[in-house]
Amino acid sequence: MNKKFLALGVVGILTYSVPTLPVKAVSSQNMQTVSTDNQVRTAGLISYYSLDISAGKKAIVLNGSTRASISMKSIGYKDISIEYSSDGVHWYVEKSVNDLLKSNSSSYNLNDYSVSVVGGYYYRVSLTHYAKESGWFGSSQSVENTSNSVWVD
């Protein structure tokens, strides 16, 4: 019981012994309002990204974009997984595709990139949009993305 009173006493002393600083309100006739424009952008190196798939004959066709505002040491797509589902709810990996990266570029567009699949399922693609700056201490950014799903016969 004495320890509780001692603890409360120490807390009380520390709480009420901190000095307070007086603050004065200032009135001014010359007040200004400053406004700034906010532009919506992706945080970091990647300024824009997109991913879409369509169905081909025993294949899916990828269209995507990864863009940066300046040239990157490496830019593109990593961890590419082709996923299938019979019900559109439970997804399983059918295959993985090698990373698709471009060096010294500010963008990498996938235009009608075809990947063969077994068929008879819904398909979607999960991947990571990736960008890495040049230099010794160049930072990198990764943005995970999953496409729409399509039925492939």
Side-chain angles (χ1 to χ4, degrees):
M1 189 68 148
N2 287 338
K3 289 183 183 179
K4 282 186 182 180
F5 286 126
L6 180 62
L8 288 173
V10 170
V11 169
I13 291 171
L14 291 175
T15 301
Y16 294 108
S17 65
V18 176
T20 60
L21 299 174
V23 178
K24 293 182 181 178
V26 177
S27 169
S28 174
Q29 299 290 336
N30 301 325
M31 293 188 56
Q32 292 181 340
T33 302
V34 178
S35 64
T36 59
D37 274 344
N38 291 326
Q39 296 182 8
V40 178
R41 294 188 177 154
T42 304
L45 304 174
I46 298 173
S47 60
Y48 175 82
Y49 62 92
S50 66
L51 177 62
D52 183 59
I53 66 168
S54 56
K57 186 167 184 138
K58 295 285 185 192
I60 56 171
V61 180
L62 284 71
N63 287 288
S65 182
T66 304
R67 294 185 207 154
S69 56
I70 60 172
S71 184
M72 295 287 131
K73 178 180 180 180
S74 180
I75 191 167
Y77 312 88
K78 286 185 155 192
D79 307 320
I80 305 166
S81 294
I82 310 303
E83 302 173 348
Y84 70 95
S85 172
S86 59
D87 60 6
V89 176
H90 301 93
W91 293 92
Y92 308 96
V93 175
E94 181 171 302
K95 65 169 64 175
S96 295
V97 177
N98 291 335
D99 294 347
L100 300 170
L101 298 171
K102 191 186 276 190
S103 298
N104 302 315
S105 180
S106 62
S107 67
Y108 191 162
N109 295 315
L110 288 178
N111 297 313
D112 297 331
Y113 185 86
S114 183
V115 179
S116 62
V117 294
V118 174
Y121 297 100
Y122 291 101
Y123 284 89
R124 72 180 187 185
V125 176
S126 292
L127 55 71
T128 302
H129 298 270
Y130 176 80
K132 179 168 179 36
E133 289 179 309
S134 300
W136 285 82
F137 301 105
S139 62
S140 64
Q141 182 184 14
S142 298
V143 179
E144 294 180 5
N145 197 359
T146 301
S147 73
N148 56 304
S149 61
V150 295
W151 177 263
V152 177
D153 286 328

